Amino acid sequence: ADFNAATTINGVLSVSGATVQVAAGATFAQAAAGSDVSLTSSAIFKSTGDTVLISSTISSGSALYVLGGNTTISGEPTLQDADIILEDGILDVSGAVSPLSLQSGSELTWNDGDFVSTPTQNLEFTGSTFTIDATGKTL
């Protein structure tokens, strides 16, 4: 599925083993209450636009690619056997719970772009990996 314009998820979007792309200039957002986005079974979510995920699930070998724009992860996400790859743009986790926990084989890879959190926020990697290959950046 490709999202090329402003899209708000008011219900449930479950992606299993498929690819979702948010185009540059597009906006993909969950409604503040009562919505859910779930990526399972090696689903791939690529965002070059602006994306807001609230208490979403990324699991079972699925991946979130931040390729541009501003991607926000907030609330209480479930990140289990998930890959989050920051290639460009902004990944903002400052609105997520602390500790933000990546569990069971998850990987956060920061190649370029900006990673935003709060000074008091903890990141917890339980059986997971945080790889930094960004130059000239501050964590």
Side-chain angles (χ1 to χ4, degrees):
D2 291 339
F3 295 94
N4 298 308
T7 303
T8 300
I9 303 300
N10 291 306
V12 175
L13 175 64
S14 182
V15 181
S16 180
T19 299
V20 172
Q21 296 186 84
V22 179
T27 301
F28 177 94
Q30 283 181 253
S35 65
D36 183 44
V37 173
S38 178
L39 307 173
T40 61
S41 301
S42 301
I44 296 174
F45 192 106
K46 296 179 178 181
S47 182
T48 52
D50 292 336
T51 299
V52 176
L53 300 174
I54 304 168
S55 298
S56 298
T57 298
I58 304 173
S59 64
S60 305
S62 295
L64 168 64
Y65 288 85
V66 179
L67 304 171
N70 187 356
T71 296
T72 302
I73 296 176
S74 64
E76 240 177 293
T78 301
L79 306 171
Q80 189 162 9
D81 189 22
D83 291 335
I84 300 175
I85 300 96
L86 174 56
E87 290 287 347
D88 197 7
I90 299 168
L91 175 60
D92 184 347
V93 298
S94 62
V97 295
S98 183
L100 177 60
S101 181
L102 282 81
Q103 302 175 0
S104 302
S106 294
E107 183 168 357
L108 175 57
T109 304
W110 182 12
N111 292 327
D112 202 356
D114 295 313
F115 183 82
V116 178
S117 64
T118 66
T120 59
Q121 187 171 37
N122 293 316
L123 301 175
E124 182 177 87
F125 296 92
T126 305
S128 298
T129 307
F130 185 15
T131 303
I132 300 174
D133 193 23
T135 56
K137 304 294 180 177
T138 302
L139 177 62

